[in-house]
Amino acid sequence: QQPVQSPQAVILREGEDAVINCSSSKALYSVHWYRQKHGEAPVFLMILLKGGEQKGHEKISASFNEKKQQSSLYLTASQLSYSGTYFCGTWDNYGQNFVFGPGTRLSVLP
Amino acid sequence: KAGVTQTPRYLIKTRGQQVTLSCSPISGHRSVSWYQQTPGQGLQFLFEYFSETQRNKGNFPGRFSGRQFSNSRSEMNVSTLELGDSALYLCASSLGLAGVDETQYFGPGTRLLVL
């Protein structure tokens, strides 16, 4: 089942902060975050693992709440380059199918 | 190190035809996964190949198939094309079997238009 992301879209000014949430109705063992700019391929940002381990981006932080089956991506002091669509993804069906959320469109304005 | 490459970048086909897309992973990566991206359905997992074997498969009909060669390069084939197959097809490579903690690196994609 596809993860749910919120908000669907957000508009910020440079320097402002944003939080993007990803939740699932099924148990999460890890959450992967990607950013895709228009016309480009998704780019890896971060993996959050059960137990708290994180792998990824220096300037972006995230949390993973196993009990709530939810992950949040924190973008602080946003820059113009942060604009794009953010996807969370997770393995479903016992690791047989990687499922992406619908995406959150982030626009950072000068 | 060169990134993931996909060929061709753009393709136009007609209904009923078949198409083969190619993906070359990052050097040293042994896993290749394929995804379909459309405005309506978003990013959907097709399948993953590791060491020339299909390891995982998403919910797509049998018209979608793939293979992987000994040098880890992968091809995806779609037979009897339908209008709904128009999409951006992305491949992603990872060092090991794509899993809970394995990072996937995406190629630029092949944009397929079915007329």
Side-chain angles (χ1 to χ4, degrees):
Chain A
Q1 189 162 350
Q2 186 182 46
V4 175
Q5 287 187 236
S6 63
Q8 287 185 322
V10 59
I11 300 175
L12 301 172
R13 293 283 181 187
E14 263 189 300
E16 293 181 338
D17 302 337
V19 179
I20 300 173
N21 299 305
C22 173
S23 62
S24 173
S25 59
K26 297 195 174 184
L28 292 174
Y29 297 95
S30 69
V31 177
H32 301 222
W33 286 96
Y34 289 85
R35 176 173 61 212
Q36 185 178 30
K37 293 182 180 289
H38 184 69
E40 299 180 10
V43 172
F44 166 76
L45 292 176
M46 183 167 289
I47 295 177
L48 295 109
L49 305 173
K50 201 173 181 179
E53 185 181 350
Q54 296 185 15
K55 293 167 58 174
H57 204 280
E58 294 176 353
K59 297 182 180 179
I60 295 174
S61 63
S63 65
F64 182 21
N65 188 320
E66 296 167 31
K67 286 185 179 178
K68 291 185 177 179
Q69 295 164 188
Q70 177 178 305
S71 176
S72 297
L73 191 70
Y74 304 98
L75 305 166
T76 56
S78 58
Q79 305 169 19
L80 296 176
S81 62
Y82 287 8
S83 293
T85 300
Y86 289 76
F87 295 95
C88 67
T90 185
W91 284 95
D92 195 9
N93 295 335
Y94 304 99
Q96 292 179 354
N97 187 4
F98 192 79
V99 186
F100 278 101
T104 294
R105 182 169 292 183
L106 179 76
S107 300
V108 181
L109 305 178
Chain B
K1 192 182 269 190
V4 179
T5 58
Q6 291 186 246
T7 57
R9 295 293 311 278
Y10 303 92
L11 207 49
I12 300 175
K13 292 285 187 179
T14 56
R15 278 183 300 175
Q17 287 187 308
Q18 74 165 15
V19 66
T20 299
L21 312 181
S22 180
C23 173
S24 292
I26 292 171
S27 177
H29 284 196
R30 296 171 62 192
S31 169
V32 173
S33 298
W34 288 89
Y35 294 86
Q36 182 195 66
Q37 186 173 30
T38 60
Q41 300 298 318
L43 272 162
Q44 293 184 282
F45 174 75
L46 281 154
F47 32 65
E48 179 197 8
Y49 284 86
F50 181 83
S51 292
E52 303 178 61
T53 303
Q54 187 180 91
R55 299 300 179 118
N56 295 301
K57 190 176 191 304
N59 300 319
F60 278 82
R63 300 186 297 108
F64 292 83
S65 62
R67 59 177 176 169
Q68 187 180 35
F69 302 95
S70 58
N71 61 357
S72 294
R73 189 177 70 85
S74 177
E75 288 182 346
M76 189 191 89
N77 185 75
V78 187
S79 62
T80 319
L81 283 166
E82 301 176 359
L83 295 179
D85 296 334
S86 294
L88 179 67
Y89 289 89
L90 293 158
C91 82
S93 78
S94 55
L95 194 59
L97 187 65
V100 167
D101 63 348
E102 196 69 41
T103 302
Q104 297 183 72
Y105 298 89
F106 282 84
T110 294
R111 190 165 294 280
L112 172 66
L113 177 61
V114 181
L115 303 175

